[in-house]
Amino acid sequence: LLISGIISGTILPASKSIARSTGIISGTAARKTGKILVLLKERFFSLPPKRQVIIASATAFILTLGGIFTWNSLTEEDVIPVPIVVTETPTEVFPPTDEPSAVLASPEITASAPENIVSLVFLKETLYLVTENGIHDTTKNETRPSPSDGKIRYAAGMDDLNLIFVMTEEGRLFAFAPSNRSFVENTIRLPEGFQPAGIGTFLTYLYVLEEGTGRIYRFPRAEGGFGDGLLWTKDPMDPGTRMIAVSENIYGATGNGIQAFLRGKASETFSPETTTTPITLTALCANEETPDRFAAIDAPAKRVVILGSDGHIESQQFHESFTNASACSLSRDRSTVAVSIGKDAALIRIVDR
């Protein structure tokens, strides 16, 4: 009776209900379907009871699953897919394409000193590496120790006398003569309380920058050293000036700016060209034989900037190793800039455009 009830009360009414509700089964089709269902019912009751139970259970299970599936399909909301955004990290271009006259440098290591280089000097055609404790001759590959207990801080070559002048941290001045590879202390009378911040030469004059004032003093050559100094700057440079490079102009640099002075006053024709990345100055260099060009090191930006005497950029030489550059020197024929990188000295060949 239970099975008959399932067949009669569940299968047949459900089938007819579905047929009527969907409107798919026509009258003729419905009569044929009824005959088929009656036949299935007769065959079902002719089966053994156990098989009737199995078939009825399976039918009920299938109908239950179908109902659940239909209900979920009708009630399930559409799920809006979340778009996946892929962000590409831009590749850093080196040298930067947005910098004026930027080129990839090809520095050539030419010599090495026994310790870190503090200054480089082209004396005529020869390059000398100045360390805290001596001078290294790159042609003879030998180092001459300084006679002073104090460490060397600044150096400048004087082609007219074929001498390299070095100043120690105590303000003592020595002249090094490559001809006999000897140091001789030179007299220089600095003003009371004077703290040097850099030196340079032009002809036989020695120029010394005073720290914290922007004032530059010029000392004439005299017997045994230099005579009394005169204040060269009629208008002082920026008090934050930390270094100078001497040619016909005297260039002074703060941490992020360059000035040019001519005959003691700011040059009216000098206007430094702007770079995309603001320049951070590590070192300056010039040569009296090449008054129309000077160079600056910007170690944080890994570049050596070659500039004209009016401030325009001739080229920006980029190289990964320049992040450790600390000093430079410009050759007298204006074709080469020497750059110190730790203990090494590298040469950059400048191509005029």
Side-chain angles (χ1 to χ4, degrees), residues 134-145:
I135 295 179
H136 182 81
D137 186 333
T138 60
T139 58
K140 297 180 174 62
N141 194 29
E142 65 176 21
T143 302
R144 304 299 295 181

Side-chain angles (χ1 to χ4, degrees), residues 10-22:
T10 303
I11 298 177
L12 294 179
S15 300
K16 292 177 180 179
S17 175
I18 292 171
R20 285 195 301 271
S21 63
T22 56

Side-chain angles (χ1 to χ4, degrees), residues 275-298:
T275 55
T276 304
T277 302
I279 195 167
T280 301
L281 290 154
T282 308
L284 283 179
C285 53
N287 193 303
E288 66 180 78
E289 298 294 332
T290 59
D292 59 342
R293 171 178 286 172
F294 71 104
I297 293 177
D298 178 0

Side-chain angles (χ1 to χ4, degrees), residues 29 89 91 93 138 173 231 233 241 267 323 332:
T89 303
T91 303
V93 178
T138 60
L173 185 69
L231 183 61
T233 45
T241 301
S267 172
T323 190
R332 64 188 299 179

Side-chain angles (χ1 to χ4, degrees), residues 321-332:
S321 65
F322 293 163
T323 190
N324 297 313
S326 60
C328 64
S329 184
L330 179 63
S331 65
R332 64 188 299 179

